[in-house]
Amino acid sequence: MRTAVGLLAAATLAGATACSASDQPAHASAPATVAASRRSVETFTPLLQQALVNVKGKTFTSAIVAFPPGASALPHRHGQAFVYAYVLEGTVRSKLDDKPVTTYHQGENWVEQPGAHHVLTENASRTKPAKILVVFVSDTGAKLKVEDPTS
């Protein structure tokens, strides 16, 4: 099963990077850096966004999320999107809802069910970068990431 999932991730990445510019959304050409003060943050680089013609109202989106050494994401949700994540490089720690923190190494993967609360996502290393391929199946037009409100 892990081999099949890894092949799916590799095929998705290869297919997405081979697309012509006309197949990609206008914002796919420039990485988006999540802004925050006094902490290292992740960079989200969209690869491919495509409406699913056989599933009305749903869109497939793939992206690379890069974490510099010590970087972490703010707690967030992905709305009603189904999310698949595959570690391309490094080691990432993740915590969903009230489940324990899990550490994922290069070649490992996880899924996030619609509505899941992503409490922790961070690069486990203070010296080496980490990178993940993230695939979303979301409602067309929905935000892919909504950070928790700050209080």
Side-chain angles (χ1 to χ4, degrees):
M1 178 70 172
R2 178 175 280 167
T3 302
V5 173
L7 290 173
L8 172 64
T12 300
L13 181 59
T17 56
C19 290
S20 68
S22 63
D23 290 338
Q24 295 183 0
H27 64 278
S29 59
T33 301
V34 179
S37 60
R38 287 183 246 110
R39 69 178 190 90
S40 188
V41 296
E42 80 273 21
T43 302
F44 181 90
T45 304
L47 297 173
L48 174 71
Q49 189 169 47
Q50 178 71 48
L52 296 176
V53 295
N54 60 339
V55 185
K56 185 177 173 124
K58 296 291 182 181
T59 297
F60 171 96
T61 304
S62 62
I64 300 294
V65 180
F67 293 89
S72 62
L74 292 172
H76 61 276
R77 297 177 190 270
H78 297 290
Q80 291 306 305
F82 177 84
V83 181
Y84 168 79
Y86 179 86
V87 181
L88 296 168
E89 174 185 336
T91 303
V92 175
R93 278 193 288 264
S94 178
K95 177 175 173 43
L96 296 171
D97 297 316
D98 59 353
K99 294 182 174 64
V101 173
T102 304
T103 301
Y104 297 95
H105 303 279
Q106 183 176 355
E108 296 181 324
N109 60 85
W110 71 91
V111 296
E112 298 178 32
Q113 298 299 322
H117 187 209
H118 209 152
V119 180
L120 172 73
T121 318
E122 68 181 1
N123 183 343
S125 174
R126 299 281 177 220
T127 59
K128 297 178 183 174
K131 200 178 287 188
I132 59 176
L133 168 68
V134 183
V135 175
F136 303 88
V137 176
S138 63
D139 293 334
T140 300
K143 285 187 173 184
L144 296 177
K145 180 181 177 188
V146 178
E147 291 177 351
D148 288 0
T150 55
S151 32

